Amino acid sequence: MKLNNLASSLLSLVAVADAASLTQVTNFGSNPSGARMYIYVPDRLQTNPPILTAIHYCTGTANAFYTGTPYARLADQYGFIVIYPESPYSGSCWDVSSRATLTRDGGGSSTSIAQMVRWAIERYNADRNRIFVAGTSSGAMMTNVLAATYPDLFKAAAAYAGVPAGCFYTGTVAGWNSTCANGQSIASQQVWAQTALDMYPGYTGPRPKMMIYHGSADTTIYPQNFNETMKQWCGVFGYTYGSPQQTLANTPSAGYTKYVYGENLVGIYGSGVTHNIPVNGENDLNWFDGIKGGSSTPTTTAVTSSVPSTTLSTSTRTTTTSSTSAPTPTGCTSQRWGQCGGIGWTGCTTCASPWTCTKLNDWYYQCL
Ligand SMILES: *[C@@H]1O[C@H](CO)[C@@H](O)[C@H](O)[C@H]1NC(C)=O
Ligand SMILES: *[C@@H]1O[C@H](CO)[C@@H](O)[C@H](O)[C@H]1NC(C)=O
């Protein structure tokens, strides 16, 4: 028994030493925008694993999103892969404004990210029916762009505090469209839907189901963008904006209202929530069909059914997942990655130690 205990202690030490880490991939194929690819492959992987692409905010990095969101911890628990793309542009916003990135295989950052996903599918023999994308702020804008440009690649998406695909258009690479950011780009659901459909003309196949998060107190990417993004996907999926099937108060957590338009579109609107909107990892996994393994449920796709994945035994870690919590109150300090200044900003302007308030652009300062 003692020897067994010793042996298992040694084994767990080895396991710790071998623990998976965030790794850069430099040879993932054509990379027209020069975006960087990082990947997290947990030690225990499902057979034909699912892949989540997790896209950072302006000023973010792959590593910041890896450490600052619950996805990697959840990947350890459930055995899926996470790709963390990193913006090649100064200021680290994503290019969601050029014609190239707003076009399928147009040679912008959206193409580079699609290449990362295609590469990882091949390399890890991933399940094409369980490929997902999520992002925050600039990463949420890119999430919407990817849903429009590569609807055949992704099965579901979660966008936190973004804008409709095409809303940030400026005709320049990684431009900042303040009309859109300020919630002044307003159109009908037909117009927004057409904007998305035009990014991959002629495509009639399945599309990723969309979950759109936004906070009512967002003064960086104004909350009108929630309404406009909901219009866009309502138009694409044939729902009627303003007439959700269900409106659920305090769902998925206190202060949030969930609007269910149908199986392909859900909006989650946080009352009093700022641009510093927390990632609700568990809620996202529940949206990403089959990402947890076990019973993979192919939903929106007519392609070959997924290979059943092996079920991982119970989680290897006991750390609790950080889910949605109350937003940072104003009149205090902003937390790490929170906004701390910029045009129109009325919240706190100092950062919790040891972070400093860093200017990204005139509209956005962030605690880094
Ligand atoms: C910003 O985007 C809107 C559409 O959302 C567009 O009408 C406007 O021309 C864009 N602004 C610039 C400077 O390109
Ligand atoms: C936008 O959506 C939110 C959440 O549903 C709603 O409270 C608000 O009234 C909408 N704004 C407009 C201008 O329709």
Side-chain angles (χ1 to χ4, degrees), residues 76-247:
D76 282 338
Q77 196 172 341
Y78 295 109
F80 59 88
I81 291 169
V82 190
I83 296 172
Y84 295 93
E86 189 170 277
S87 165
Y89 303 112
S90 102
S92 281
C93 290
W94 286 99
D95 175 18
V96 287
S97 57
S98 72
R99 187 51 70 202
T101 204
L102 300 176
T103 304
R104 180 186 181 81
D105 292 342
S109 284
S110 61
T111 303
S112 292
I113 294 173
Q115 280 297 111
M116 296 175 195
V117 176
R118 288 165 173 161
W119 179 89
I121 290 172
E122 293 301 324
R123 169 68 179 76
Y124 295 97
N125 198 14
D127 182 350
R128 291 170 194 273
N129 286 314
R130 294 184 295 155
I131 309 295
F132 309 105
V133 58
T136 294
S137 189
S138 187
M141 298 181 197
M142 179 54 89
T143 296
N144 284 314
V145 168
L146 287 168
T149 48
Y150 295 93
D152 50 336
L153 199 50
F154 299 100
K155 299 304 159 193
Y160 289 83
V163 304
C167 190
F168 238 59
Y169 176 79
T170 58
T172 57
V173 171
W176 184 272
N177 186 314
S178 48
T179 308
C180 177
N182 294 346
Q184 290 156 353
S185 292
I186 295 172
S188 68
Q189 71 170 51
Q190 286 76 16
V191 166
W192 278 131
Q194 198 59 48
T195 301
L197 297 176
D198 286 348
M199 294 180 193
Y200 187 8
Y203 179 74
T204 55
R207 292 179 178 276
K209 55 184 205 161
M210 305 298 297
M211 184 155 67
I212 308 302
Y213 292 86
H214 219 108
S216 74
D218 191 330
T219 52
T220 304
I221 304 300
Y222 274 65
Q224 186 69 36
N225 282 297
F226 173 77
N227 310 64
E228 302 308 307
T229 307
M230 294 302 289
K231 283 185 203 172
Q232 180 166 64
W233 299 117
C234 273
V236 166
F237 288 116
Y239 302 127
T240 303
Y241 175 72
S243 302
Q245 287 175 6
Q246 276 183 297
T247 301

